[in-house]
């Protein structure tokens, strides 16, 4: 994506196994969080990490993986990852 001076990555997980879900990502090689913000009830959890000091208008590469710790029984886990620039 093309960045502003700040880039933010947000990860939210829900479901029976949400606490075992790990979202790992890198922004231009810089590591981010490895846990997912678990959402069980209101209010919505804050799970955003900001990266500052980027060069405005330059291309930024965001890569990520999603893993489940332990066995994966047939139970639902929902996850969302958003990337925002400002």
């Amino acid at each position: 994506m093309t960045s502003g001076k700040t880039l933010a990555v947000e990860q939210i997980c829900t479901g029976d196994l949400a606490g075992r879900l790990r979202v790992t990502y890198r922004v231009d090689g810089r590591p981010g969080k490895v846990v997912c913000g678990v959402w069980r009830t209101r209010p919505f959890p804050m799970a955003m990490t900001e990266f500052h000091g980027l060069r405005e208008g330059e291309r930024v590469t965001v890569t990520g993986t999603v893993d489940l710790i332990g066995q994966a029984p047939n139970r639902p886990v929902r996850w969302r990852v958003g990337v925002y620039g400002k």
Side-chain angles (χ1 to χ4, degrees):
M1 72 175 288
T2 302
S3 76
K5 291 183 180 179
T6 301
L7 181 129
V9 180
E10 182 173 37
Q11 61 282 343
I12 298 291
C13 302
T14 187
D16 293 339
L17 305 175
R20 294 180 28 208
L21 199 64
R22 300 291 180 258
V23 178
T24 307
Y25 58 88
R26 298 179 85 72
V27 175
D28 274 351
R30 295 166 54 187
K33 286 186 179 179
V34 294
V35 296
C36 202
V38 177
W39 184 28
R40 300 196 192 286
T41 59
R42 303 245 188 267
F44 200 71
M46 178 63 165
M48 188 175 293
T49 301
E50 291 187 348
F51 292 84
H52 301 278
L54 302 173
R55 292 186 181 155
E56 192 169 0
E58 286 194 5
R59 297 285 295 167
V60 176
T61 301
V62 179
T63 56
T65 59
V66 178
D67 295 305
L68 184 65
I69 305 303
Q71 293 186 356
N74 191 18
R75 294 183 357 219
V77 177
R78 293 170 193 84
W79 55 275
R80 299 280 189 267
V81 175
V83 179
Y84 308 93
K86 62 177 181 177

